[in-house]
Amino acid sequence: RAKGLFDQNKLYYNDRMFQELIKKKEIRELLKDALRNDGFKLVYQPQINLKSGKADTFEALLRLKDEDISPGEFISVAEESNLIIDIGRWVTEAAIIQLAEWQSKGLEPKPISINFSAKQLNDLSYVDFLNDKLKKHGVTADLLEIEITETVLLEKKDKSISFLNKLKKSGVKISLDDFGTGYSSLSYLTYIELDKIKFDRSLNHKFLQDNYTDTMAGLISLFHSMNLVVVAEGIEEKENFQKLSDRGCDYIQGYLFSRPVSPAAIEKIYDHNFI
Ligand code: C2E
Ligand code: MG
Ligand code: MG
Ligand code: MG
């Protein structure tokens, strides 16, 4: 009987693995199709500067136009299949085109940040591609920010450091995304010259509880001493915004102020005072 049960579990397990594989293949096909047929779009979420009360950087987040599937599901598939290389290039140019469009509409220049996957370190001509596109669309490099995560700094350290230094030389800014979710070793903060650090939603949730607000203030001042701009992500409650503001945080990005929205919606809140 025990053996029968075991077999059943095994069957169920294999079946689940099979379903997973099918699902991944389907997602892979969706991504390939989107690359070929203009099926991607970017939505933007403002980072609110707590001094001015206004948005002053917009994070570009990738979406599939016609499919209800989140980046949490499709980015990992894109990474496993190397489609992230072409997708990463598409995101880069789309953000640059958006910057050029806002510029041509006479809006005050404000940076866009884009997410960069560790797998994109394999895209050896990425920096040349980026520089070409900036030139082509008449956008200066200081308007573009690249968000990397710890994994970018941890994997193949020497290779990634030289890649990122080359990127940095082109004039773009580099932020460290999702701080507090991984190893969060402080030494990688010295590998390259970072401009910004983004505290992950989960870290904020932990450190905004009453016993830890001093720790939060300490963390923020630690990063200020390293000349980093501090962004708190995933802020949904007014109370947490107030706590962060009181403790010297520079920017807040979260549903409290805005969800990620279309470029047209961003234009409506471009100069809005959120505080
Ligand atoms: P991320 O870069 O850390 O982006 C922030 C994520 O948190 C976004 O999810 C955003 O919608 C969500 N968020 C922002 N404020 C709040 C809030 O107040 N509450 C909650 N619950 N969530 C909030 P999204 O757009 O689903 O993206 C998820 C992740 O997928 C991103 O995390 C990023 O790692 C990845 N991703 C998205 N677009 C791209 C891309 O173009 N390239 C790469 N490589 N990765 C991307
Ligand atoms: Mg990000
Ligand atoms: Mg993040
Ligand atoms: Mg992330």
Side-chain angles (χ1 to χ4, degrees):
R1 240 187 337 206
K3 189 173 179 287
L5 231 159
F6 174 79
D7 282 342
Q8 248 176 26
N9 282 341
K10 197 165 126 191
L11 238 173
Y12 169 70
Y13 185 60
N14 282 338
D15 191 45
R16 240 193 16 201
M17 276 172 51
F18 185 65
Q19 296 302 330
E20 269 304 298
L21 282 175
I22 300 232
K23 181 136 190 254
K24 280 188 180 175
K25 187 170 172 5
E26 274 171 13
I27 295 174
R28 227 163 33 236
E29 292 310 317
L30 284 178
L31 296 175
K32 282 186 200 160
D33 189 59
L35 274 170
R36 277 191 300 257
N37 301 312
D38 194 29
F40 288 114
K41 67 176 179 183
L42 294 178
V43 289
Y44 295 87
Q45 188 179 33
Q47 288 172 17
I48 309 306
N49 183 327
L50 296 184
K51 293 220 171 64
S52 68
K54 292 182 176 186
D56 88 8
T57 302
F58 302 102
E59 178 172 8
L61 294 155
L62 188 61
R63 298 288 182 265
L64 278 159
K65 274 181 192 166
D66 303 320
E67 306 291 334
D68 191 21
I69 167 176
S70 70
E73 285 179 89
F74 69 72
I75 292 290
S76 61
V77 177
E79 288 172 341
E80 282 166 28
S81 59
N82 271 328
L83 286 166
I84 195 69
I85 302 285
D86 287 336
I87 293 173
R89 286 183 173 220
W90 183 87
V91 169
T92 305
E93 187 169 18
I96 292 171
I97 290 172
Q98 188 61 67
L99 285 164
E101 193 187 322
W102 282 335
Q103 209 161 283
S104 77
K105 288 182 169 172
L107 294 169
E108 177 200 344
K110 296 185 180 186
I112 287 178
S113 67
I114 57 176
N115 292 283
F116 186 86
S117 153
K119 279 277 157 62
Q120 289 177 262
L121 292 168
N122 296 324
D123 187 357
L124 295 177
S125 56
Y126 178 79
V127 183
D128 295 330
F129 171 85
L130 175 99
N131 287 326
D132 283 351
K133 295 304 176 190
L134 286 168
K135 208 195 263 170
K136 177 179 173 195
H137 299 290
V139 171
T140 54
D142 61 324
L143 287 177
L144 199 66
E145 286 183 15
I146 312 277
E147 297 192 2
I148 61 170
T149 57
E150 285 176 12
T151 45
V152 176
L153 292 170
L154 291 171
E155 270 175 35
K156 302 179 195 119
K157 192 176 146 204
D158 294 340
K159 199 182 138 199
S160 65
I161 290 173
S162 68
F163 187 105
L164 293 169
N165 280 328
K166 195 177 164 202
L167 194 59
K168 190 84 218 218
K169 269 205 200 93
S170 74
V172 303
K173 298 208 167 68
I174 299 182
S175 343
L176 187 71
D177 199 0
D178 299 348
F179 180 78
T181 57
Y183 297 98
S184 297
S185 142
L186 290 179
S187 67
Y188 63 62
L189 294 172
T190 62
Y191 293 169
I192 56 150
E193 209 186 301
L194 294 164
D195 297 283
K196 228 183 216 183
I197 188 157
K198 301 183 76 179
F199 289 4
D200 191 70
R201 181 165 171 262
S202 59
L203 179 122
N204 296 328
H205 274 250
K206 280 180 211 130
F207 285 96
L208 288 169
Q209 291 167 29
D210 292 334
N211 305 341
Y212 290 103
T213 49
D214 285 349
T215 311
M216 180 54 100
L219 269 181
I220 293 170
S221 82
L222 169 76
F223 291 122
H224 281 165
S225 78
M226 300 175 85
N227 287 322
L228 293 167
V229 170
V230 177
V231 183
E233 274 196 292
I235 303 305
E236 297 176 359
E237 285 132 22
K238 203 165 176 198
E239 190 193 335
N240 284 339
F241 144 68
Q242 200 53 55
K243 283 183 184 173
L244 285 158
S245 181
D246 293 346
R247 282 159 189 81
C249 183
D250 302 297
Y251 292 88
I252 278 181
Q253 182 180 342
Y255 292 171
L256 173 68
F257 293 125
S258 173
R259 288 185 174 258
V261 293
S262 70
I266 288 292
E267 288 169 25
K268 295 206 179 86
I269 54 154
Y270 206 85
D271 282 315
H272 180 75
N273 198 327
F274 285 87
I275 306 169

